[in-house]
Amino acid sequence: MQQGFSFPIGLDVVWEPLSRYPHLPSHIRSWLQDSGSLTDRIESACSVFNLTLIGEGEAQLHACERQSLHINATDNHTVREVLLCGDERPWVFARSVIPPELMSSEFNQLGEEPLGRRLFNDARFRRGEFEVCRIRHTAFTPEIELPLWGRRSVFYFQQHALLVAELFLPASPLYQTGS
């Protein structure tokens, strides 16, 4: 298991519409555009699933996050960063930006429970369009030569919006053909 990361790690990258990549291999596209619960998909692809909470609390938001959520720099939101692990290996780094109203109600005391368990079991949440990123270096894999893929989308609930970004790490089945 990865150890020693300081919260917040962040994911300040360039996000683009998925349509910008029309020729993605099907094994990559199937993970990036899967509108179901990523937690459920990971659980079905491994023998042992676990979530490691890296940190949760108020943190500086990236400009790309504020822009996506249409909020200004003075708005307070909670940042939650986790690792979704399959078979004791980190498959996905997830960073969520959650408004205070939802942290004090729907997402109160998540702990090591996946956020997706609440999002996908509550029909009141509506998911927006996917955006994707390709990056070469992260806090998790500074030495990697191949780009890593990530995705993000905004979930809407009444007048609130929360942002969920997921970076697929090298051990993820996304990088294996036939997955």
Side-chain angles (χ1 to χ4, degrees), residues 61-122:
L61 300 185
H62 303 301
C64 63
E65 293 169 329
R66 289 192 309 274
Q67 181 181 4
S68 183
L69 291 169
H70 307 289
I71 58 176
N72 62 47
T74 60
D75 289 340
N76 292 327
H77 280 59
T78 297
V79 171
R80 175 178 164 87
E81 294 181 338
V82 301
L83 289 173
L84 303 176
C85 302
D87 299 326
E88 305 300 321
R89 298 178 65 199
W91 285 8
V92 174
F93 165 70
R95 177 179 165 99
S96 303
V97 179
I98 307 168
E101 299 84 1
L102 294 179
M103 278 307 295
S104 64
S105 57
E106 275 70 20
F107 302 119
N108 188 19
Q109 299 180 1
L110 276 170
E112 292 198 3
E113 176 188 347
L115 178 65
R117 289 249 162 77
R118 297 199 190 173
L119 284 174
F120 289 96
N121 290 316
D122 190 333

